Amino acid sequence: MTKFAYRAAPLLALAAAIAAMPAQAEDADSTIIVTAPELTNEAEARVARTAGGADVVSHQDYADKSIMSLRDTLAFSPGVYLQPRYGQEVRISIRGSGLSRGFHMRGLTLLQDGVPINLADDNGDFQELEPIFFDHLEVYRGSNALRFGSGTLGGAINGVTPTGRTADGLYLRGDAGSFDSFRGLVSAGVAGDRVDAWGAVSADTSDGDRDHVKRRSFRFHGNAGMQFGDVVSSRVYVSFNNINQEIPGALTRTQALSTPRMANPNSVAGDHARDIDSLRLQNRTRFDWGAVTLDVGAFLNAKTLYHPIFQVIDQDGVDRGGYFRFDYAGDRIEATLGGELRVGDIKSRRFVNLAGRRGALTFDADLDARAATLYGEVRVKPVDTLSLIAGGIYADGKRKQRINRNSAAPVQDGTIARADFDAFSPKIGLLFEPAAGMQFYANYSRSVEFPGFNELAQIANFVPLDPQRAWTAEVGTRGRAGAVSWDLSLYRSDIKGELLQFDIGPTIPASTFNAGRTRHEGIEAALQFDATDWLRLRQVYTYSSFRFRADADYGDNRLPVVPRHVYRAELRIGSDALHIAPNLEWMPDGPFADYHNRVSTPGYALIGVTGGATIADGIDAFVDVRNITGKKAIGDISAAITVTDMSAIYYPAERRAVSAGIRARF
């Protein structure tokens, strides 16, 4: 009890301080990174024209949290499954996308300011998105992400940064918390008649809630815009990331539930880590003729990855590309036509891991990838309350590997392997609005995902894999009536060749395979109740039923990793000047860990609380307490064929943590 009271002391101190504040503070405005709602309003208007699951998450929705990863920003976005693994690493999945990928990311298109951070083979590292910078995030689930050129099962997430016009002035934020965690942000925006600029620098360091999980990062993002006249405008973006993350590894079930702080001994001995340096440059030029707009742009992404794991993976890559997007908005007809080309080259080498340092060279290859998409959509309004939608996306992909050196037989030096893919994915849908603020929608679409280098080059030479194909049906509704707002989608995806993954062993050299037929179906729901100006309850619930269909090895077994039920709720009491918000994450039953469905993890409930207060004009304080009860639970899993007591495939849930900070705007 004494230990708990000691850890809760920062929260009690804040509560006492805000309780003593003068009553006139009730009229103060919350201090967050953005000062104007234009960008968020435009994004919400686009969602309102989408015949399917989509939503916008504003910075204000997560401003009181210690913003460590995308999980902190998207916790209340319906249908987004996010589980922390360690540090800033999370599993992120929508509708079972990248379901069994136990590392990096697949099955989603992640973008910043409309430009993908995925590599040309569609793999990526979501840590390159710094959520503390964002004005808002746009989440388009499934085929509803067509406007981003995404043809994946999961859809797309686009983080939008402020400009000098939406976030002028100087903004400061600093927070500190458990495990020697410190985080700081400085941003500034300026705007003139025709020119504006915004830039931000963030730094982050933490020892983490486990052994061997220290992290540090330094990031910069900035943009500058020029209005050349009534028609033409252009904006240039620059992003830099320096991210260093130790990897603690997975634990056995007993270890994860009894000693969650420990690291896997192999991870410590090999000093496992993932260090990323990346530089992104991009430009977007817009031609605006009123009903007709045209966006054209180009981007260049340079990235280095130093990744000691079973071997030291050392990669240097450059991606470049361009895109265009044409939009027409008439009274009864709207249309979109767009295209994108990404070309990437990676110099990939592997070395013997000598306690995290390079030993002898074991593998050297040149990787070349191309991803091209052409997409279009037409939206017709025969009557004011009904929109009919038809569209499609054509995707073309190339993966090529030349092995310069390989110490493992039988693949010899000079071997070249290549895989080419192409597919067309149509979509039809409708959007019905029987009354203001109320919408019903339905759509039917195809998605195709091409395997990347992580799937194809599992054992040096390419493994023959097919694309993952799916047909998805979706129905849903969203809207607001009085104090209640809702967002509800039901979907079913019938998949062929799903790219699944399991732990490898001495007799299993390739960890990714094409399943036969699988089915993903579920419910994505959000319900918010604004009882008064000072009382708000928001909730999200996700139901996921993912399983094989008459598989030769696994029958109709459930797919591992994602649980059937996940529920989150937050009750916010008070105003921007003074508020507290208890929150709950509840997983009644854990998911299966294996494809044979013999081992599952226990469910859990995690309780937390955030709070905030205005302490002076332009200065706010906030606090974030997580896992108040210190619950020991399993948060994420690496799927396996067969699980034993010695299987180290489990990642413990976040331990109890307290953080507090200050925001200021001048």
Side-chain angles (χ1 to χ4, degrees):
M1 184 69 180
T2 303
K3 185 177 180 181
F4 174 77
Y6 173 77
R7 291 181 179 271
L11 176 63
L12 300 175
L14 176 64
I18 60 181
M21 289 176 54
Q24 60 265 30
E26 290 287 340
D27 298 326
D29 292 329
S30 178
T31 304
I32 57 174
I33 195 169
V34 290
T35 59
E38 286 89 345
L39 293 177
T40 306
N41 291 343
E42 291 175 8
E44 291 175 344
R46 286 191 294 269
V47 165
R49 298 195 297 271
T50 301
D55 68 291
V56 176
V57 179
S58 71
H59 187 93
Q60 190 167 6
D61 290 337
Y62 54 85
D64 287 338
K65 293 184 178 180
S66 177
I67 307 168
M68 186 169 62
S69 69
L70 285 176
R71 186 176 188 270
D72 301 314
T73 64
L74 298 175
F76 285 90
S77 181
V80 182
Y81 179 74
L82 292 145
Q83 279 292 0
R85 301 178 68 122
Y86 52 84
Q88 294 180 317
E89 170 85 3
V90 297
R91 178 186 294 279
I92 179 169
S93 177
I94 299 177
R95 300 182 177 179
S97 62
L99 180 66
S100 58
R101 168 63 77 82
F103 51 88
H104 301 279
M105 181 203 70
R106 186 181 62 76
L108 281 173
T109 301
L110 290 188
L111 310 99
Q112 182 166 303
D113 297 307
V115 174
I117 69 164
N118 301 59
L119 300 177
D121 73 335
D122 274 335
N123 284 288
D125 288 302
F126 47 82
Q127 292 92 340
E128 291 184 73
L129 287 180
E130 169 56 293
I132 203 172
F133 288 163
F134 294 151
D135 176 287
H136 65 273
L137 296 99
E138 302 170 301
V139 181
Y140 285 80
R141 305 188 293 277
S143 66
N144 306 300
L146 182 141
R147 68 178 298 270
F148 292 115
S150 172
T152 63
L153 176 69
I157 298 172
N158 181 37
V160 180
T161 57
T163 69
R165 300 193 185 280
T166 62
D168 62 330
L170 179 65
Y171 175 75
L172 306 174
R173 173 179 168 133
D175 52 278
S178 302
F179 320 119
D180 290 330
S181 299
F182 301 94
R183 190 176 185 86
L185 168 72
V186 179
S187 74
V190 294
D193 292 339
R194 292 191 176 274
V195 180
D196 72 273
W198 179 86
V201 173
S202 74
D204 166 70
T205 181
S206 176
D207 288 345
D209 68 338
R210 295 180 60 189
D211 295 333
H212 200 264
V213 73
K214 291 182 180 180
R215 71 174 189 273
R216 62 178 177 84
S217 70
F218 176 82
R219 307 167 190 260
F220 167 80
H221 178 75
N223 63 75
M226 169 71 79
Q227 186 75 38
F228 293 102
D230 294 336
V231 174
V232 183
S233 61
S234 187
R235 190 168 294 276
V236 177
Y237 302 84
V238 179
S239 292
F240 171 75
N241 293 286
N242 172 254
I243 306 167
N244 296 279
Q245 171 75 67
E246 292 181 339
I247 297 176
L251 303 175
T252 67
R253 179 189 176 103
T254 299
Q255 290 168 340
L257 292 175
S258 60
T259 55
R261 181 169 183 170
M262 73 174 291
N264 187 298
N266 292 331
S267 296
V268 177
D271 197 14
H272 292 185
R274 181 163 64 229
D275 300 337
I276 298 171
D277 288 304
S278 66
L279 175 66
R280 299 199 302 272
L281 308 173
Q282 62 192 67
N283 168 260
R284 183 187 68 204
T285 299
R286 168 164 291 187
F287 301 86
D288 188 344
W289 296 284
V292 176
T293 60
L294 173 65
D295 288 339
V296 296
F299 53 88
L300 175 71
N301 301 338
K303 176 179 177 179
T304 65
L305 172 68
Y306 186 77
H307 195 12
I309 43 175
F310 69 100
Q311 292 186 329
V312 174
I313 298 173
D314 192 349
Q315 295 183 343
D316 293 291
V318 176
D319 275 35
R320 61 272 187 198
Y323 62 94
F324 78 92
R325 178 184 171 89
F326 171 89
D327 283 294
Y328 168 74
D331 292 335
R332 294 292 181 183
I333 298 177
E334 296 183 352
T336 296
L337 177 65
E340 179 184 279
L341 174 66
R342 280 180 284 157
V343 178
D345 305 308
I346 298 175
K347 182 69 172 178
S348 180
R349 296 177 297 171
R350 294 202 298 264
F351 302 84
V352 173
N353 184 351
L354 301 178
R357 298 181 179 179
R358 299 179 186 89
L361 178 68
T362 63
F363 184 79
D364 184 332
D366 296 316
L367 310 179
D368 301 318
R370 183 191 69 238
T373 58
L374 183 65
Y375 57 93
E377 184 177 85
V378 177
R379 301 173 292 276
V380 179
K381 273 193 155 186
V383 295
D384 290 342
T385 58
L386 180 65
S387 296
L388 304 177
I389 295 138
I393 178 170
Y394 173 77
D396 172 85
K398 180 197 80 171
R399 317 283 188 256
K400 181 181 177 181
Q401 174 182 260
R402 176 184 173 85
I403 297 178
N404 303 313
R405 174 175 172 75
N406 180 45
S407 62
V411 182
Q412 299 179 352
D413 298 353
T415 300
I416 297 176
R418 175 169 175 155
D420 294 277
F421 309 98
D422 69 286
F424 176 69
S425 301
K427 172 188 175 180
I428 57 173
L430 62 86
L431 180 66
F432 178 54
E433 303 177 82
M438 182 181 298
Q439 295 182 326
F440 296 88
Y441 52 78
N443 66 71
Y444 188 62
S445 63
R446 187 178 191 240
S447 64
V448 180
E449 295 177 22
F450 305 146
F453 287 119
N454 281 328
E455 288 78 32
L456 292 168
Q458 302 172 62
I459 52 174
N461 201 14
F462 273 14
V463 175
L465 291 173
D466 294 325
Q468 173 181 302
R469 296 92 63 202
W471 285 96
T472 300
E474 177 185 7
V475 297
T477 176
R478 59 175 168 256
R480 186 176 187 90
V484 178
S485 58
W486 69 91
D487 188 335
L488 174 66
S489 293
L490 293 81
Y491 68 90
R492 170 179 286 180
S493 298
D494 287 321
I495 307 171
K496 290 184 179 180
E498 182 170 2
L499 292 165
L500 294 177
Q501 186 182 66
F502 47 77
D503 271 7
I504 63 175
T507 62
I508 309 173
S511 65
T512 302
F513 64 97
N514 285 117
R517 295 188 303 150
T518 54
R519 172 173 288 172
H520 294 195
E521 57 187 356
I523 300 170
E524 304 161 336
L527 181 66
Q528 180 169 315
F529 179 55
D530 296 297
T532 68
D533 292 340
W534 54 268
L535 184 63
R536 180 193 71 189
L537 173 65
R538 58 175 178 168
Q539 308 164 88
V540 291
Y541 166 71
T542 303
Y543 171 74
S544 304
S545 177
F546 307 152
R547 62 176 63 249
F548 291 101
R549 299 180 65 197
D551 187 83
D553 295 315
Y554 306 113
D556 294 326
N557 284 1
R558 298 184 64 85
L559 294 172
V561 175
V562 175
R564 285 183 297 174
H565 308 280
V566 178
Y567 172 79
R568 293 190 182 97
E570 178 188 78
L571 181 66
R572 187 179 189 272
I573 306 168
S575 67
D576 287 343
L578 172 61
H579 60 269
I580 190 168
N583 58 73
L584 167 71
E585 177 180 311
W586 181 36
M587 184 190 300
D589 300 295
F592 285 109
D594 64 320
Y595 289 98
H596 289 298
N597 288 182
R598 295 169 183 161
V599 178
S600 62
T601 63
Y604 63 79
L606 302 181
I607 300 171
V609 64
T610 62
T614 300
I615 58 177
D617 186 23
I619 301 177
D620 291 345
F622 60 92
V623 67
D624 182 356
V625 185
R626 306 186 182 195
N627 194 2
I628 291 176
T629 63
K631 175 70 175 179
K632 293 179 180 179
I634 291 173
D636 193 39
I637 308 167
S638 293
I641 295 177
T642 302
V643 175
T644 70
D645 291 341
M646 300 306 295
S647 297
I649 59 172
Y650 303 101
Y651 292 88
E654 291 178 299
R655 295 167 55 210
R656 182 190 298 123
V658 180
S659 61
I662 297 288
R663 300 189 300 264
R665 178 174 292 283
F666 303 97

